[in-house]
Amino acid sequence: MRPVHGGNLVWAAAVANCSPASLVDFSASINPLGPPESVALALTEALGQLRHYPDPDYAALRRALASHHQVPADWVLPGNGAAELLTWAARDLAEGPAAGCHLLTPAFGDYGRALAAFGVPIQPWPLSLEMGEDGTLQKAISWPDAEVAGVIINNPHNPTGRLFSIDNLKPLLDRADTVIVDEAFMDFVPPDRQQSLIVELDRYPNLVVLRSLTKFYTLPGLRIGYALGHPDRLRRWQHWRDPWPVNALAAAAAIASVQDKTFQNRTWDWLPPARTALFEGLQAIPGLRPLAGAANYLLVHTTTPAPVLQEAMLRSHQVLIRDCLSFPALGADYFRVAVRTAGENERLLTALGLAVAV
């Protein structure tokens, strides 16, 4: 069955008729520089904790995350990946004073999954994909003028990579009962350019910011994320879920990750020139129009249907790209690729050039 998420190497290996280890995966937007060495060390040291249950309050983990973001510890709720916390966000929206959620589209598929699970009506909010010569989106976002029940938005936006400014998002905080901002890719933005709404948490009790350690720190197998929001809301979420959602190894890895300034700086030094080089390489291939973005991935418009390119590249080059069939607003006209190492990016460009030419 065709996957709805990136990173399904078992499916891709079956198409390519090779082992999963032989694939170069551009479908999942994961930092190729990690995991950090500090995480490997922390995991080794944490092995002795496997004979004990984790601290149900995750006090040490919450303190580390709170220190990282300069917020009180009771404003932090760790979770089994951001996906678990998105589930409780959807339940929160379902139990709010007015049902319904405005959803910027194209949208990450898990938003629809979570909202559907609790019967929350979705009001799509189409994002214009009109692209300028420089690859930037040309039209500004137009938010609703009237008050709305709930909003889910990610920043930087997935799959376009567009970065919304704090000032651009503030009107939502004044008009919506609940605003869920998924900042899973914000860590990839250098600190002097980040537009995180974490700085607005103390002024807006209707705001929740979701963060993931999966992408930036290369930890998808550990499933670790967290929510930042008003303590009353986070305590409600805590009461809804099973105990011990975060395992001891994931907690240890998270603490080590957010304290690893060397790895963070290395990533911020690597990404901008690597992304620019990949963008320019994609621009040079006939039939492809990449969209400039602020994260570690690029959305690309293609005149060759993306599933055709995907299959050809898997069979001939063992390179996996993310088709956008799971984004109804995009379909077969777009694919998304992660930014990886220089050598891997060249392999991608070579494979794409040959596949497009066929």
Side-chain angles (χ1 to χ4, degrees):
M1 179 180 295
R2 181 175 293 277
V4 296
H5 291 284
N8 192 327
L9 299 186
V10 174
W11 172 85
V15 175
N17 193 27
C18 68
S19 71
S22 300
L23 295 169
V24 181
D25 183 16
F26 286 87
S27 70
S29 301
I30 305 297
N31 189 346
L33 306 186
E37 293 182 7
S38 60
V39 168
L41 178 61
L43 291 176
T44 300
E45 294 177 347
L47 289 176
Q49 300 178 29
L50 296 183
R51 67 189 68 194
H52 307 293
Y53 286 103
D55 170 13
D57 294 324
Y58 298 100
L61 175 55
R62 292 170 71 186
R63 284 195 302 269
L65 295 171
S67 176
H68 182 57
H69 292 293
Q70 298 298 296
V71 299
D74 59 351
W75 289 65
V76 181
L77 182 67
N80 187 246
E84 185 229 343
L85 298 163
L86 182 61
T87 297
W88 309 129
R91 178 171 175 177
D92 213 338
L93 290 168
E95 298 189 0
C101 180
H102 279 71
L103 188 60
L104 191 67
T105 56
F108 176 47
D110 265 14
Y111 302 155
R113 170 202 61 81
L115 294 169
F118 294 99
V120 179
I122 297 174
Q123 177 63 49
W125 216 342
L127 173 65
S128 172
L129 297 176
E130 184 178 325
M131 194 186 308
E133 291 298 321
D134 61 352
T136 58
L137 291 177
Q138 296 298 290
K139 291 188 177 180
I141 285 290
S142 178
W143 307 126
D145 293 327
E147 291 188 6
V148 297
V151 173
I152 296 180
I153 187 171
N154 49 4
N155 193 32
H157 181 252
N158 179 17
T160 67
R162 183 169 184 167
L163 181 66
F164 302 105
S165 70
I166 293 174
D167 289 340
N168 195 194
L169 295 178
K170 270 188 177 181
L172 293 176
L173 302 178
D174 296 318
R175 297 172 188 167
D177 293 332
T178 303
V179 179
I180 309 296
V181 183
D182 179 357
E183 295 185 352
F185 293 97
M186 189 66 76
D187 284 328
F188 286 101
V189 181
D192 61 342
R193 294 187 56 233
Q194 288 191 11
Q195 299 294 316
S196 175
L197 284 182
I198 292 173
V199 297
E200 302 293 336
L201 284 171
D202 60 343
R203 288 185 283 274
Y204 291 96
N206 60 328
L207 170 64
V208 179
V209 175
L210 301 182
R211 285 289 187 113
S212 170
L213 296 171
T214 290
K215 279 73 174 182
F216 189 84
Y217 297 102
T218 326
L219 301 173
L222 281 180
R223 310 307 309 134
I224 178 70
Y226 53 99
L228 300 148
H230 193 280
D232 289 346
R233 185 187 303 272
L234 298 187
R235 278 192 288 269
R236 184 163 68 247
W237 291 15
Q238 173 68 31
H239 291 152
W240 287 339
R241 64 185 189 169
D242 295 337
W244 306 297
V246 178
N247 67 71
L249 295 182
I255 293 171
S257 294
V258 297
Q259 295 173 348
D260 194 330
K261 306 302 182 186
T262 299
F263 181 81
Q264 294 161 12
N265 287 319
R266 182 182 169 210
T267 299
W268 293 325
D269 289 341
W270 153 76
L271 179 57
R275 183 177 58 222
T276 297
L278 181 57
F279 178 87
E280 292 174 350
L282 290 165
Q283 272 189 322
I285 299 175
L288 300 184
R289 291 190 66 200
L291 181 65
N296 64 322
Y297 51 85
L298 294 170
L299 182 68
V300 185
H301 183 270
T302 173
T303 55
T304 303
V308 174
L309 287 178
Q310 183 186 62
E311 182 173 348
M313 294 169 66
L314 278 172
R315 294 188 185 281
S316 299
H317 300 278
Q318 290 78 55
V319 169
L320 174 61
I321 62 173
R322 169 74 187 273
D323 70 45
C324 291
L325 298 182
S326 63
F327 298 97
L330 299 179
D333 294 333
Y334 291 85
F335 63 86
R336 194 192 67 193
V337 290
V339 183
R340 297 192 60 83
T341 65
E344 290 170 327
N345 292 341
E346 283 299 321
R347 181 171 170 179
L348 169 71
L349 294 172
T350 298
L352 275 170
L354 292 172
V356 167
V358 172

PDB file of all heavy atoms in Angstrom, residues 309-343:
ATOM      1  N   LEU A 309       7.828   9.804 -11.363  1.00  0.00           N
ATOM      2  CA  LEU A 309       9.216  10.102 -10.994  1.00  0.00           C
ATOM      3  C   LEU A 309       9.665   9.237  -9.817  1.00  0.00           C
ATOM      4  O   LEU A 309      10.771   8.698  -9.810  1.00  0.00           O
ATOM      5  CB  LEU A 309       9.351  11.578 -10.619  1.00  0.00           C
ATOM      6  CG  LEU A 309       9.293  12.610 -11.731  1.00  0.00           C
ATOM      7  CD1 LEU A 309       9.410  14.016 -11.134  1.00  0.00           C
ATOM      8  CD2 LEU A 309      10.413  12.377 -12.733  1.00  0.00           C
ATOM      9  N   GLN A 310       8.799   9.128  -8.822  1.00  0.00           N
ATOM     10  CA  GLN A 310       9.147   8.363  -7.629  1.00  0.00           C
ATOM     11  C   GLN A 310       9.488   6.918  -7.962  1.00  0.00           C
ATOM     12  O   GLN A 310      10.517   6.386  -7.517  1.00  0.00           O
ATOM     13  CB  GLN A 310       7.985   8.415  -6.636  1.00  0.00           C
ATOM     14  CG  GLN A 310       8.260   7.710  -5.311  1.00  0.00           C
ATOM     15  CD  GLN A 310       7.011   7.677  -4.447  1.00  0.00           C
ATOM     16  OE1 GLN A 310       6.003   7.079  -4.828  1.00  0.00           O
ATOM     17  NE2 GLN A 310       7.078   8.327  -3.299  1.00  0.00           N
ATOM     18  N   GLU A 311       8.648   6.275  -8.770  1.00  0.00           N
ATOM     19  CA  GLU A 311       8.894   4.876  -9.118  1.00  0.00           C
ATOM     20  C   GLU A 311      10.147   4.719  -9.964  1.00  0.00           C
ATOM     21  O   GLU A 311      10.959   3.811  -9.736  1.00  0.00           O
ATOM     22  CB  GLU A 311       7.694   4.289  -9.850  1.00  0.00           C
ATOM     23  CG  GLU A 311       7.863   2.816 -10.187  1.00  0.00           C
ATOM     24  CD  GLU A 311       6.612   2.186 -10.767  1.00  0.00           C
ATOM     25  OE1 GLU A 311       5.534   2.822 -10.708  1.00  0.00           O
ATOM     26  OE2 GLU A 311       6.716   1.050 -11.272  1.00  0.00           O
ATOM     27  N   ALA A 312      10.340   5.617 -10.931  1.00  0.00           N
ATOM     28  CA  ALA A 312      11.517   5.533 -11.788  1.00  0.00           C
ATOM     29  C   ALA A 312      12.803   5.694 -10.993  1.00  0.00           C
ATOM     30  O   ALA A 312      13.796   4.982 -11.220  1.00  0.00           O
ATOM     31  CB  ALA A 312      11.433   6.597 -12.885  1.00  0.00           C
ATOM     32  N   MET A 313      12.800   6.607 -10.042  1.00  0.00           N
ATOM     33  CA  MET A 313      14.005   6.856  -9.249  1.00  0.00           C
ATOM     34  C   MET A 313      14.286   5.724  -8.275  1.00  0.00           C
ATOM     35  O   MET A 313      15.440   5.401  -7.995  1.00  0.00           O
ATOM     36  CB  MET A 313      13.871   8.187  -8.520  1.00  0.00           C
ATOM     37  CG  MET A 313      13.844   9.374  -9.493  1.00  0.00           C
ATOM     38  SD  MET A 313      13.387  10.910  -8.689  1.00  0.00           S
ATOM     39  CE  MET A 313      14.791  11.138  -7.604  1.00  0.00           C
ATOM     40  N   LEU A 314      13.233   5.118  -7.769  1.00  0.00           N
ATOM     41  CA  LEU A 314      13.429   3.963  -6.887  1.00  0.00           C
ATOM     42  C   LEU A 314      14.023   2.780  -7.664  1.00  0.00           C
ATOM     43  O   LEU A 314      14.993   2.160  -7.211  1.00  0.00           O
ATOM     44  CB  LEU A 314      12.103   3.552  -6.250  1.00  0.00           C
ATOM     45  CG  LEU A 314      11.653   4.343  -5.032  1.00  0.00           C
ATOM     46  CD1 LEU A 314      10.231   3.956  -4.637  1.00  0.00           C
ATOM     47  CD2 LEU A 314      12.607   4.133  -3.862  1.00  0.00           C
ATOM     48  N   ARG A 315      13.464   2.504  -8.814  1.00  0.00           N
ATOM     49  CA  ARG A 315      13.900   1.320  -9.565  1.00  0.00           C
ATOM     50  C   ARG A 315      15.303   1.494 -10.151  1.00  0.00           C
ATOM     51  O   ARG A 315      16.073   0.532 -10.208  1.00  0.00           O
ATOM     52  CB  ARG A 315      12.895   1.025 -10.676  1.00  0.00           C
ATOM     53  CG  ARG A 315      11.519   0.605 -10.159  1.00  0.00           C
ATOM     54  CD  ARG A 315      10.616   0.125 -11.275  1.00  0.00           C
ATOM     55  NE  ARG A 315       9.265  -0.156 -10.812  1.00  0.00           N
ATOM     56  CZ  ARG A 315       8.905  -1.265 -10.175  1.00  0.00           C
ATOM     57  NH1 ARG A 315       9.808  -2.196  -9.921  1.00  0.00           N
ATOM     58  NH2 ARG A 315       7.644  -1.447  -9.791  1.00  0.00           N
ATOM     59  N   SER A 316      15.643   2.698 -10.576  1.00  0.00           N
ATOM     60  CA  SER A 316      16.916   2.898 -11.272  1.00  0.00           C
ATOM     61  C   SER A 316      18.040   3.421 -10.382  1.00  0.00           C
ATOM     62  O   SER A 316      19.217   3.184 -10.669  1.00  0.00           O
ATOM     63  CB  SER A 316      16.726   3.878 -12.442  1.00  0.00           C
ATOM     64  OG  SER A 316      15.797   3.375 -13.378  1.00  0.00           O
ATOM     65  N   HIS A 317      17.685   4.121  -9.290  1.00  0.00           N
ATOM     66  CA  HIS A 317      18.723   4.789  -8.501  1.00  0.00           C
ATOM     67  C   HIS A 317      18.602   4.548  -6.995  1.00  0.00           C
ATOM     68  O   HIS A 317      19.426   5.041  -6.233  1.00  0.00           O
ATOM     69  CB  HIS A 317      18.681   6.297  -8.766  1.00  0.00           C
ATOM     70  CG  HIS A 317      18.901   6.650 -10.203  1.00  0.00           C
ATOM     71  ND1 HIS A 317      20.152   6.743 -10.773  1.00  0.00           N
ATOM     72  CD2 HIS A 317      18.008   6.919 -11.192  1.00  0.00           C
ATOM     73  CE1 HIS A 317      20.030   7.057 -12.054  1.00  0.00           C
ATOM     74  NE2 HIS A 317      18.746   7.156 -12.337  1.00  0.00           N
ATOM     75  N   GLN A 318      17.566   3.824  -6.553  1.00  0.00           N
ATOM     76  CA  GLN A 318      17.343   3.581  -5.123  1.00  0.00           C
ATOM     77  C   GLN A 318      17.272   4.896  -4.330  1.00  0.00           C
ATOM     78  O   GLN A 318      17.785   5.018  -3.216  1.00  0.00           O
ATOM     79  CB  GLN A 318      18.426   2.668  -4.518  1.00  0.00           C
ATOM     80  CG  GLN A 318      18.362   1.226  -4.985  1.00  0.00           C
ATOM     81  CD  GLN A 318      18.943   1.058  -6.387  1.00  0.00           C
ATOM     82  OE1 GLN A 318      20.092   1.448  -6.628  1.00  0.00           O
ATOM     83  NE2 GLN A 318      18.177   0.492  -7.302  1.00  0.00           N
ATOM     84  N   VAL A 319      16.642   5.900  -4.940  1.00  0.00           N
ATOM     85  CA  VAL A 319      16.431   7.199  -4.307  1.00  0.00           C
ATOM     86  C   VAL A 319      14.936   7.384  -4.088  1.00  0.00           C
ATOM     87  O   VAL A 319      14.137   7.215  -5.012  1.00  0.00           O
ATOM     88  CB  VAL A 319      16.989   8.340  -5.190  1.00  0.00           C
ATOM     89  CG1 VAL A 319      16.542   9.697  -4.660  1.00  0.00           C
ATOM     90  CG2 VAL A 319      18.510   8.264  -5.244  1.00  0.00           C
ATOM     91  N   LEU A 320      14.542   7.750  -2.857  1.00  0.00           N
ATOM     92  CA  LEU A 320      13.136   7.881  -2.505  1.00  0.00           C
ATOM     93  C   LEU A 320      12.776   9.347  -2.280  1.00  0.00           C
ATOM     94  O   LEU A 320      13.364  10.017  -1.438  1.00  0.00           O
ATOM     95  CB  LEU A 320      12.826   7.078  -1.235  1.00  0.00           C
ATOM     96  CG  LEU A 320      11.411   7.232  -0.643  1.00  0.00           C
ATOM     97  CD1 LEU A 320      10.351   6.769  -1.626  1.00  0.00           C
ATOM     98  CD2 LEU A 320      11.299   6.465   0.683  1.00  0.00           C
ATOM     99  N   ILE A 321      11.804   9.843  -3.055  1.00  0.00           N
ATOM    100  CA  ILE A 321      11.244  11.163  -2.835  1.00  0.00           C
ATOM    101  C   ILE A 321       9.830  11.015  -2.286  1.00  0.00           C
ATOM    102  O   ILE A 321       9.231   9.942  -2.354  1.00  0.00           O
ATOM    103  CB  ILE A 321      11.233  12.014  -4.128  1.00  0.00           C
ATOM    104  CG1 ILE A 321      10.349  11.345  -5.200  1.00  0.00           C
ATOM    105  CG2 ILE A 321      12.649  12.231  -4.636  1.00  0.00           C
ATOM    106  CD1 ILE A 321      10.161  12.200  -6.447  1.00  0.00           C
ATOM    107  N   ARG A 322       9.284  12.088  -1.751  1.00  0.00           N
ATOM    108  CA  ARG A 322       7.938  12.064  -1.176  1.00  0.00           C
ATOM    109  C   ARG A 322       6.945  12.597  -2.197  1.00  0.00           C
ATOM    110  O   ARG A 322       6.980  13.780  -2.552  1.00  0.00           O
ATOM    111  CB  ARG A 322       7.915  12.937   0.094  1.00  0.00           C
ATOM    112  CG  ARG A 322       6.517  13.234   0.653  1.00  0.00           C
ATOM    113  CD  ARG A 322       5.905  12.044   1.330  1.00  0.00           C
ATOM    114  NE  ARG A 322       4.523  12.283   1.706  1.00  0.00           N
ATOM    115  CZ  ARG A 322       4.127  12.840   2.850  1.00  0.00           C
ATOM    116  NH1 ARG A 322       5.013  13.243   3.726  1.00  0.00           N
ATOM    117  NH2 ARG A 322       2.847  13.001   3.109  1.00  0.00           N
ATOM    118  N   ASP A 323       6.087  11.721  -2.712  1.00  0.00           N
ATOM    119  CA  ASP A 323       5.015  12.255  -3.548  1.00  0.00           C
ATOM    120  C   ASP A 323       4.020  12.976  -2.635  1.00  0.00           C
ATOM    121  O   ASP A 323       4.044  12.824  -1.417  1.00  0.00           O
ATOM    122  CB  ASP A 323       4.340  11.164  -4.383  1.00  0.00           C
ATOM    123  CG  ASP A 323       3.517  10.193  -3.551  1.00  0.00           C
ATOM    124  OD1 ASP A 323       2.764  10.638  -2.668  1.00  0.00           O
ATOM    125  OD2 ASP A 323       3.624   8.970  -3.794  1.00  0.00           O
ATOM    126  N   CYS A 324       3.169  13.773  -3.225  1.00  0.00           N
ATOM    127  CA  CYS A 324       2.243  14.593  -2.439  1.00  0.00           C
ATOM    128  C   CYS A 324       0.789  14.183  -2.631  1.00  0.00           C
ATOM    129  O   CYS A 324      -0.125  15.007  -2.487  1.00  0.00           O
ATOM    130  CB  CYS A 324       2.446  16.072  -2.771  1.00  0.00           C
ATOM    131  SG  CYS A 324       4.021  16.728  -2.169  1.00  0.00           S
ATOM    132  N   LEU A 325       0.567  12.914  -2.937  1.00  0.00           N
ATOM    133  CA  LEU A 325      -0.794  12.429  -3.120  1.00  0.00           C
ATOM    134  C   LEU A 325      -1.604  12.508  -1.830  1.00  0.00           C
ATOM    135  O   LEU A 325      -2.835  12.617  -1.871  1.00  0.00           O
ATOM    136  CB  LEU A 325      -0.783  10.988  -3.631  1.00  0.00           C
ATOM    137  CG  LEU A 325      -0.129  10.761  -5.001  1.00  0.00           C
ATOM    138  CD1 LEU A 325      -0.247   9.291  -5.396  1.00  0.00           C
ATOM    139  CD2 LEU A 325      -0.734  11.658  -6.070  1.00  0.00           C
ATOM    140  N   SER A 326      -0.922  12.456  -0.673  1.00  0.00           N
ATOM    141  CA  SER A 326      -1.638  12.543   0.600  1.00  0.00           C
ATOM    142  C   SER A 326      -2.022  13.983   0.943  1.00  0.00           C
ATOM    143  O   SER A 326      -2.716  14.214   1.934  1.00  0.00           O
ATOM    144  CB  SER A 326      -0.796  11.946   1.727  1.00  0.00           C
ATOM    145  OG  SER A 326       0.408  12.680   1.907  1.00  0.00           O
ATOM    146  N   PHE A 327      -1.559  14.940   0.146  1.00  0.00           N
ATOM    147  CA  PHE A 327      -1.986  16.330   0.277  1.00  0.00           C
ATOM    148  C   PHE A 327      -2.976  16.607  -0.862  1.00  0.00           C
ATOM    149  O   PHE A 327      -2.560  16.856  -1.996  1.00  0.00           O
ATOM    150  CB  PHE A 327      -0.797  17.292   0.152  1.00  0.00           C
ATOM    151  CG  PHE A 327       0.251  17.126   1.213  1.00  0.00           C
ATOM    152  CD1 PHE A 327       1.386  16.372   0.973  1.00  0.00           C
ATOM    153  CD2 PHE A 327       0.124  17.760   2.440  1.00  0.00           C
ATOM    154  CE1 PHE A 327       2.370  16.239   1.933  1.00  0.00           C
ATOM    155  CE2 PHE A 327       1.106  17.635   3.413  1.00  0.00           C
ATOM    156  CZ  PHE A 327       2.224  16.870   3.166  1.00  0.00           C
ATOM    157  N   PRO A 328      -4.283  16.532  -0.602  1.00  0.00           N
ATOM    158  CA  PRO A 328      -5.256  16.665  -1.696  1.00  0.00           C
ATOM    159  C   PRO A 328      -5.089  17.938  -2.515  1.00  0.00           C
ATOM    160  O   PRO A 328      -5.386  17.945  -3.718  1.00  0.00           O
ATOM    161  CB  PRO A 328      -6.605  16.647  -0.960  1.00  0.00           C
ATOM    162  CG  PRO A 328      -6.336  15.876   0.288  1.00  0.00           C
ATOM    163  CD  PRO A 328      -4.935  16.247   0.687  1.00  0.00           C
ATOM    164  N   ALA A 329      -4.613  19.014  -1.893  1.00  0.00           N
ATOM    165  CA  ALA A 329      -4.457  20.269  -2.618  1.00  0.00           C
ATOM    166  C   ALA A 329      -3.286  20.241  -3.597  1.00  0.00           C
ATOM    167  O   ALA A 329      -3.163  21.122  -4.443  1.00  0.00           O
ATOM    168  CB  ALA A 329      -4.265  21.420  -1.629  1.00  0.00           C
ATOM    169  N   LEU A 330      -2.422  19.220  -3.481  1.00  0.00           N
ATOM    170  CA  LEU A 330      -1.219  19.155  -4.316  1.00  0.00           C
ATOM    171  C   LEU A 330      -1.287  18.034  -5.347  1.00  0.00           C
ATOM    172  O   LEU A 330      -1.007  18.235  -6.523  1.00  0.00           O
ATOM    173  CB  LEU A 330       0.018  18.963  -3.429  1.00  0.00           C
ATOM    174  CG  LEU A 330       0.289  20.066  -2.409  1.00  0.00           C
ATOM    175  CD1 LEU A 330       1.529  19.728  -1.590  1.00  0.00           C
ATOM    176  CD2 LEU A 330       0.452  21.414  -3.084  1.00  0.00           C
ATOM    177  N   GLY A 331      -1.593  16.822  -4.900  1.00  0.00           N
ATOM    178  CA  GLY A 331      -1.733  15.684  -5.806  1.00  0.00           C
ATOM    179  C   GLY A 331      -0.447  15.322  -6.512  1.00  0.00           C
ATOM    180  O   GLY A 331       0.650  15.452  -5.966  1.00  0.00           O
ATOM    181  N   ALA A 332      -0.572  14.891  -7.769  1.00  0.00           N
ATOM    182  CA  ALA A 332       0.564  14.371  -8.527  1.00  0.00           C
ATOM    183  C   ALA A 332       1.433  15.469  -9.128  1.00  0.00           C
ATOM    184  O   ALA A 332       2.466  15.174  -9.731  1.00  0.00           O
ATOM    185  CB  ALA A 332       0.062  13.463  -9.645  1.00  0.00           C
ATOM    186  N   ASP A 333       1.059  16.726  -8.943  1.00  0.00           N
ATOM    187  CA  ASP A 333       1.809  17.829  -9.544  1.00  0.00           C
ATOM    188  C   ASP A 333       2.992  18.283  -8.702  1.00  0.00           C
ATOM    189  O   ASP A 333       3.752  19.165  -9.123  1.00  0.00           O
ATOM    190  CB  ASP A 333       0.892  19.039  -9.773  1.00  0.00           C
ATOM    191  CG  ASP A 333      -0.184  18.757 -10.810  1.00  0.00           C
ATOM    192  OD1 ASP A 333       0.063  17.905 -11.684  1.00  0.00           O
ATOM    193  OD2 ASP A 333      -1.248  19.383 -10.726  1.00  0.00           O
ATOM    194  N   TYR A 334       3.137  17.712  -7.514  1.00  0.00           N
ATOM    195  CA  TYR A 334       4.202  18.160  -6.611  1.00  0.00           C
ATOM    196  C   TYR A 334       4.885  16.957  -5.955  1.00  0.00           C
ATOM    197  O   TYR A 334       4.272  15.906  -5.759  1.00  0.00           O
ATOM    198  CB  TYR A 334       3.645  19.041  -5.489  1.00  0.00           C
ATOM    199  CG  TYR A 334       3.149  20.399  -5.930  1.00  0.00           C
ATOM    200  CD1 TYR A 334       1.850  20.558  -6.424  1.00  0.00           C
ATOM    201  CD2 TYR A 334       3.970  21.525  -5.832  1.00  0.00           C
ATOM    202  CE1 TYR A 334       1.393  21.809  -6.817  1.00  0.00           C
ATOM    203  CE2 TYR A 334       3.512  22.773  -6.220  1.00  0.00           C
ATOM    204  CZ  TYR A 334       2.235  22.910  -6.706  1.00  0.00           C
ATOM    205  OH  TYR A 334       1.776  24.147  -7.098  1.00  0.00           O
ATOM    206  N   PHE A 335       6.152  17.143  -5.586  1.00  0.00           N
ATOM    207  CA  PHE A 335       6.826  16.222  -4.682  1.00  0.00           C
ATOM    208  C   PHE A 335       7.647  17.046  -3.702  1.00  0.00           C
ATOM    209  O   PHE A 335       7.895  18.235  -3.919  1.00  0.00           O
ATOM    210  CB  PHE A 335       7.700  15.205  -5.436  1.00  0.00           C
ATOM    211  CG  PHE A 335       8.850  15.787  -6.217  1.00  0.00           C
ATOM    212  CD1 PHE A 335      10.085  16.033  -5.609  1.00  0.00           C
ATOM    213  CD2 PHE A 335       8.711  16.068  -7.574  1.00  0.00           C
ATOM    214  CE1 PHE A 335      11.149  16.553  -6.332  1.00  0.00           C
ATOM    215  CE2 PHE A 335       9.772  16.594  -8.308  1.00  0.00           C
ATOM    216  CZ  PHE A 335      10.995  16.838  -7.684  1.00  0.00           C
ATOM    217  N   ARG A 336       8.031  16.421  -2.609  1.00  0.00           N
ATOM    218  CA  ARG A 336       8.831  17.091  -1.584  1.00  0.00           C
ATOM    219  C   ARG A 336      10.103  16.310  -1.352  1.00  0.00           C
ATOM    220  O   ARG A 336      10.085  15.063  -1.357  1.00  0.00           O
ATOM    221  CB  ARG A 336       8.034  17.179  -0.266  1.00  0.00           C
ATOM    222  CG  ARG A 336       8.616  18.150   0.761  1.00  0.00           C
ATOM    223  CD  ARG A 336       7.956  17.959   2.111  1.00  0.00           C
ATOM    224  NE  ARG A 336       8.316  16.657   2.675  1.00  0.00           N
ATOM    225  CZ  ARG A 336       7.710  16.106   3.725  1.00  0.00           C
ATOM    226  NH1 ARG A 336       6.693  16.703   4.305  1.00  0.00           N
ATOM    227  NH2 ARG A 336       8.095  14.923   4.174  1.00  0.00           N
ATOM    228  N   VAL A 337      11.212  17.035  -1.155  1.00  0.00           N
ATOM    229  CA  VAL A 337      12.491  16.386  -0.892  1.00  0.00           C
ATOM    230  C   VAL A 337      13.149  17.026   0.321  1.00  0.00           C
ATOM    231  O   VAL A 337      13.091  18.244   0.513  1.00  0.00           O
ATOM    232  CB  VAL A 337      13.447  16.464  -2.103  1.00  0.00           C
ATOM    233  CG1 VAL A 337      12.952  15.580  -3.233  1.00  0.00           C
ATOM    234  CG2 VAL A 337      13.648  17.895  -2.578  1.00  0.00           C
ATOM    235  N   ALA A 338      13.770  16.202   1.128  1.00  0.00           N
ATOM    236  CA  ALA A 338      14.564  16.703   2.246  1.00  0.00           C
ATOM    237  C   ALA A 338      15.894  17.229   1.724  1.00  0.00           C
ATOM    238  O   ALA A 338      16.364  16.836   0.656  1.00  0.00           O
ATOM    239  CB  ALA A 338      14.803  15.576   3.252  1.00  0.00           C
ATOM    240  N   VAL A 339      16.511  18.116   2.484  1.00  0.00           N
ATOM    241  CA  VAL A 339      17.876  18.549   2.210  1.00  0.00           C
ATOM    242  C   VAL A 339      18.808  17.599   2.946  1.00  0.00           C
ATOM    243  O   VAL A 339      18.694  17.430   4.167  1.00  0.00           O
ATOM    244  CB  VAL A 339      18.116  19.996   2.686  1.00  0.00           C
ATOM    245  CG1 VAL A 339      19.530  20.441   2.330  1.00  0.00           C
ATOM    246  CG2 VAL A 339      17.081  20.943   2.085  1.00  0.00           C
ATOM    247  N   ARG A 340      19.722  16.973   2.206  1.00  0.00           N
ATOM    248  CA  ARG A 340      20.627  16.021   2.822  1.00  0.00           C
ATOM    249  C   ARG A 340      22.079  16.456   2.570  1.00  0.00           C
ATOM    250  O   ARG A 340      22.342  17.632   2.289  1.00  0.00           O
ATOM    251  CB  ARG A 340      20.337  14.603   2.312  1.00  0.00           C
ATOM    252  CG  ARG A 340      18.912  14.120   2.686  1.00  0.00           C
ATOM    253  CD  ARG A 340      18.729  12.635   2.452  1.00  0.00           C
ATOM    254  NE  ARG A 340      19.659  11.851   3.227  1.00  0.00           N
ATOM    255  CZ  ARG A 340      19.490  11.513   4.507  1.00  0.00           C
ATOM    256  NH1 ARG A 340      18.411  11.875   5.163  1.00  0.00           N
ATOM    257  NH2 ARG A 340      20.396  10.793   5.118  1.00  0.00           N
ATOM    258  N   THR A 341      23.026  15.566   2.673  1.00  0.00           N
ATOM    259  CA  THR A 341      24.427  15.930   2.495  1.00  0.00           C
ATOM    260  C   THR A 341      24.696  16.279   1.027  1.00  0.00           C
ATOM    261  O   THR A 341      23.912  15.937   0.136  1.00  0.00           O
ATOM    262  CB  THR A 341      25.351  14.778   2.903  1.00  0.00           C
ATOM    263  OG1 THR A 341      25.144  13.664   2.016  1.00  0.00           O
ATOM    264  CG2 THR A 341      25.082  14.335   4.342  1.00  0.00           C
ATOM    265  N   ALA A 342      25.827  16.933   0.779  1.00  0.00           N
ATOM    266  CA  ALA A 342      26.139  17.373  -0.581  1.00  0.00           C
ATOM    267  C   ALA A 342      26.172  16.205  -1.559  1.00  0.00           C
ATOM    268  O   ALA A 342      25.623  16.284  -2.664  1.00  0.00           O
ATOM    269  CB  ALA A 342      27.478  18.118  -0.587  1.00  0.00           C
ATOM    270  N   GLY A 343      26.818  15.105  -1.170  1.00  0.00           N
ATOM    271  CA  GLY A 343      26.890  13.944  -2.045  1.00  0.00           C
ATOM    272  C   GLY A 343      25.533  13.335  -2.312  1.00  0.00           C
ATOM    273  O   GLY A 343      25.215  12.941  -3.451  1.00  0.00           O
TER     274      GLY A 343
END
